[in-house]
Amino acid sequence: MIEPSPMRQQTTASDTPPRADPAHVVLSIEDLHKSYGATKVLNGIDLTVARGEVVVVIGPSGSGKSTLLSCLNFLEPFERGEVRLDGEPIGFVPAPGGRRVPMSERDLNAMRQKIGIVFQQYNLFPHMTVLQNVIEAPIQVKGVPREEALELGRAQLAKVGMRAKEDAYPAQLSGGQQQRVAIARALAMTPKLMLFDEVTSALDPELVGEVLNAMRKLADEGMTMIVVTHEMAFARDVGDRIVFMDGGSIVETGTPQAVFSAPRHARTQSFLRRILRTGDGSPDEDGSG
């Protein structure tokens, strides 16, 4: 069993997570709103994430969890609000007259390089080996010299326990192995923040543990992470903070000890009773969970 990091030991000792020191805030989200036509999906999200913090987002299907992650690197444009990474805006920039305008594609891509995201589907290139999949973006996007990229790629594969499979092709790997390669690929871009969107949902139950263990190791090494998951044991053991979402809003937030042992809001209580009884926390089919 992996021992919790000193930060997790500290935050689980109290009902209220410590306020993030502004000097250590990696991500700040303020009054974030997102709609699809007349359907409101995010309704004024406010959240800050400190360096090295693991924030686990839970909630029922359709609560906006996956949409929130997609808005953080502007894969889904949002209508109102602000997202900042290390103080720099993502998506929109200030303009004269108090207006804001969309970032240039070049600037947006530069910001996206600082945020790694891993989805339910692995999306590996089938014609490339494991190592080739991992080094492709550092070479093509960041211009990392090939020899340096190879060293970096092998280091990230070792981190997720996939170094021995560097010459294999995706079709030769299990789903759990492919997902670990997808994590290594995201890490090879040396992101400041990692986003995980229900990364175990498409896996057979016996493969879930190997992916969660890779994520536990990242957390122990101090990676800043936002994890959307229905794996409650992982949320309880690894999260520094639990965020419960419902209806496009953050309903409750607190340490794992507080949220799981004594949830304050009736909606949180109802959700936890159901999911802990049935294990039913899977995302919507359309991925908007």
Side-chain angles (χ1 to χ4, degrees):
M1 177 181 296
I2 297 176
E3 292 296 323
S5 69
M7 181 177 183
R8 275 192 287 286
Q9 290 176 342
Q10 174 185 359
T11 58
T12 55
S14 168
D15 282 355
T16 304
R19 289 186 179 273
D21 183 338
H24 297 147
V25 168
V26 173
L27 181 77
S28 62
I29 307 166
E30 184 177 345
D31 195 30
L32 191 66
H33 291 256
K34 170 67 182 177
S35 299
Y36 295 110
T39 303
K40 194 84 170 177
V41 182
L42 298 178
N43 188 24
I45 300 294
D46 293 300
L47 184 67
T48 58
V49 180
R51 194 173 316 281
E53 187 177 18
V54 178
V55 175
V56 180
V57 184
I58 63 174
S61 297
S63 59
K65 308 182 300 295
S66 295
T67 300
L68 173 62
L69 292 195
S70 294
C71 286
L72 297 185
N73 60 2
F74 217 61
L75 288 176
E76 288 285 355
F78 46 87
E79 293 86 38
R80 200 171 101 204
E82 187 174 79
V83 177
R84 289 181 174 270
L85 183 70
D86 274 347
E88 296 296 321
I90 298 175
F92 296 99
V93 292
R99 299 178 300 112
R100 65 176 194 171
V101 296
M103 298 179 74
S104 69
E105 197 64 25
R106 184 185 68 177
D107 290 344
L108 182 57
N109 287 336
M111 291 300 294
R112 283 173 173 161
Q113 292 177 30
K114 301 175 184 179
I115 303 176
I117 185 164
V118 184
F119 298 99
Q120 298 173 40
Q121 301 302 324
Y122 333 119
N123 299 320
L124 301 178
F125 294 117
H127 63 288
M128 292 184 177
T129 67
V130 162
L131 184 57
Q132 288 169 341
N133 265 280
V134 173
I135 68 174
E136 176 73 4
I139 292 174
Q140 299 299 329
V141 178
K142 297 183 73 173
V144 175
R146 181 174 177 80
E147 288 305 313
E148 183 180 336
L150 288 169
E151 182 178 351
L152 173 65
R154 289 185 173 117
Q156 300 307 333
L157 286 171
K159 188 173 292 187
V160 299
M162 289 298 294
R163 176 72 168 79
K165 296 287 188 178
E166 68 172 59
D167 294 323
Y169 287 87
Q172 298 171 307
L173 305 178
S174 70
Q177 289 173 327
Q178 290 188 63
Q179 193 62 287
R180 284 187 281 158
V181 174
I183 294 172
R185 178 179 57 185
L187 291 173
M189 294 295 284
T190 59
K192 295 185 175 182
L193 171 69
M194 283 288 292
L195 309 177
F196 296 89
D197 186 12
E198 295 281 11
V199 295
T200 60
S201 292
L203 299 178
D204 293 332
E206 64 269 20
L207 302 177
V208 169
E210 63 189 54
V211 175
L212 294 180
N213 285 337
M215 294 167 64
R216 287 171 188 264
K217 183 175 180 181
L218 292 181
D220 284 351
E221 291 176 353
M223 173 60 70
T224 309
M225 299 161 58
I226 303 179
V227 182
V228 169
T229 187
H230 62 275
E231 300 289 345
M232 294 298 109
F234 176 88
R236 187 194 298 268
D237 294 344
V238 180
D240 294 306
R241 184 162 32 132
I242 305 298
V243 172
F244 173 67
M245 288 184 64
D246 194 14
S249 299
I250 292 177
V251 175
E252 185 166 345
T253 183
T255 65
Q257 178 182 354
V259 173
F260 285 108
S261 301
R264 295 186 298 272
H265 200 285
R267 281 191 284 177
T268 316
Q269 295 166 9
S270 175
F271 170 78
L272 288 175
R273 277 197 302 269
R274 177 175 60 81
I275 195 171
L276 294 175
R277 182 177 65 248
T278 66
D280 177 20
S282 57
D284 291 332
E285 291 183 3
D286 64 4
S288 62

